[in-house]
Every structure is written in structure tokens, then in C-alpha cells.
Amino acid sequence: MDAARVLVVEDSPAIRESVESALVGAGHRVLALPDGAALESALAGFRPDLVILDVLLPGRDGFTLLDVVRRTVPAGVIVVTARDGVDDRLRGLRAGADDYVVKPFVLAELLARVAAVLRRSGRAVPVVEVADLLVDVESGVVTRAGTPVELTATELRLLAFLAARKDRVVTKTQILGAVWGYEDYAANLVEVNISALRRKLEAHGPRLVHTIRGHGYTLRE
């Protein structure tokens, strides 16, 4: 099946770019917009399978745009917002959202939620492949050369983040923010978990998680 089409509407450039990068790395086709000004034309031309919609947008807010999406395309919708009140969550779900994610969020969790909504809508979700490594984020299944690799929840989040940005270098700070939800912590937390992940992956084949000295880490052949 063709890659799923995901439309992202997010006004923060940093968040928009990181979400777009993670989705592309997970095998999706992505169109990212800074606001809802061009939403109708994007829906008509791109025909998304899923829309990731920020609530606090300039101009029309996400709840208003959610109604536009629902009237225009049969796409799944994940609402993203900094508001964590129950009333806001219920408003989004009652308006037709399929899921609700509160900022700050972990990219690996967002990818898992994207996969879950796409599966419920009947779309196949791409599995990230690097050499003989297969990573299915939603199911939590990781195989190396056909052999299952048992990972802890933290190791899976770490691998999912690296897999979403395969062939790209990510810093320790980026990993801390995506996997643990914060940036100011002991640097060896990343090193310890990278080492544990490497041991499990390299029990079944050559190294795939590489250290780029002075920069960070990358997942590649």
C-alpha cells in the first residue's frame, strides 16, 4: 500500500519541523502548514489520510478547523494542544477528533498514536527498515534478520526516535527531549541507554547505531 498522507497544521516552526521530519522518517508523505489559511485547498489537493491539528493557531483555531476537516475529507484527526484541561480534551473528542495529544509530547508517542489512528481507519502503517532491522512502533515489535529483539519501553522509544530520523544525526539534547521529555539532565543517561540498545541489536548483526563524535548519534547501515 502507498505511504499514508499526513497533513500537519502547527504554528511553531520548531515543533512543525520536528514532527514533519519524524513522520517522513517513519515512511509517511507529509504536508506541513503554519496555520489554517490554506487548509481547504490543502485538503482538496493533498487528500490526507490523517490530520495532526494544533488547537492554538493564529486566525481560526484548531476546533474550528476540525469542523472543516470533518466536512471535507474522511481523514483521521489528532488534536495537539498545550491545554491539558479535561474540558478541552472532551471538546476535541466530541468535535470528532480521533485522539488528543498534550504538549510537550514525545515524538515516539506521537508516531505510535498516528499509527494507531491509521490502523483503525484501515490504512497500512509503514514499518521503518534499516538494513535487516525492522521497527514497528505501534505494535512494539522489533526484529533483526528475522529474529525478535526484546526491548524495554525506554529502549523502544529511543529506537523509534532514531528510526524516525534514520540516516540523520541527532544530538543528546534532542534525544533527551524526545525520549524522556526534558533536556537538562545527566548526559550519561543517553549514553547508558544507547549502549544497552546497541548490545541487543548487535547480538544479531553488525552495528547500526553509530556515534558521530562531537555531534550525537545516527541509525544507518
Side-chain angles (χ1 to χ4, degrees):
M1 184 175 288
D2 294 337
R5 297 181 299 276
V6 182
L7 174 63
V8 179
V9 186
E10 166 62 58
D11 65 323
S12 166
I15 296 176
R16 185 172 64 250
E17 291 168 9
S18 63
V19 169
E20 180 179 11
S21 177
L23 289 167
V24 170
H28 303 297
R29 291 177 55 195
V30 183
L31 175 63
L33 303 176
D35 54 47
L39 181 66
E40 285 88 343
S41 59
L43 292 172
F46 189 59
R47 302 297 295 180
D49 300 295
L50 175 73
V51 179
I52 298 176
L53 188 60
D54 186 25
V55 168
L56 300 177
L57 293 167
R60 294 179 294 176
D61 67 17
F63 292 124
T64 302
L65 297 177
L66 174 56
D67 184 59
V68 174
V69 174
R70 282 286 171 249
R71 289 188 282 103
T72 308
V73 292
V77 178
I78 296 177
V79 171
V80 179
T81 182
R83 296 171 173 168
D84 60 357
V86 173
D87 289 343
D88 286 319
R89 292 199 296 272
L90 290 177
R91 181 182 176 188
L93 295 172
R94 287 169 178 163
D98 296 279
D99 205 346
Y100 198 104
V101 179
V102 177
K103 297 178 181 176
F105 54 82
V106 175
L107 284 173
E109 177 190 0
L110 180 63
L111 290 177
R113 290 176 181 269
V114 166
V117 172
L118 288 172
R119 287 190 191 279
R120 289 200 298 268
S121 65
R123 287 289 311 189
V125 180
V127 175
V128 181
E129 182 176 356
V130 181
D132 58 355
L133 175 70
L134 299 178
V135 183
D136 187 327
V137 176
E138 187 206 1
S139 68
V141 174
V142 176
T143 62
R144 185 87 198 267
T147 302
V149 180
E150 298 295 329
L151 301 178
T152 66
T154 298
E155 290 164 353
L156 179 62
R157 289 198 304 272
L158 174 56
L159 179 58
F161 179 70
L162 294 172
R165 302 178 71 86
K166 63 181 180 180
D167 297 321
R168 301 183 183 183
V169 178
V170 293
T171 66
K172 290 180 181 178
T173 299
Q174 290 173 316
I175 293 173
L176 281 168
V179 177
W180 284 276
Y182 44 73
E183 299 178 357
D184 185 15
Y185 203 73
N188 67 355
L189 179 64
V190 175
E191 296 170 2
V192 168
N193 281 273
I194 286 284
S195 295
L197 178 61
R198 277 177 172 158
R199 283 195 299 272
K200 293 183 178 182
L201 295 180
E202 291 173 20
H204 306 284
R207 174 159 295 186
L208 294 176
V209 179
H210 303 275
T211 299
I212 308 301
R213 295 194 180 281
H215 297 281
Y217 302 94
T218 185
L219 179 69
R220 68 186 182 204
E221 292 190 62

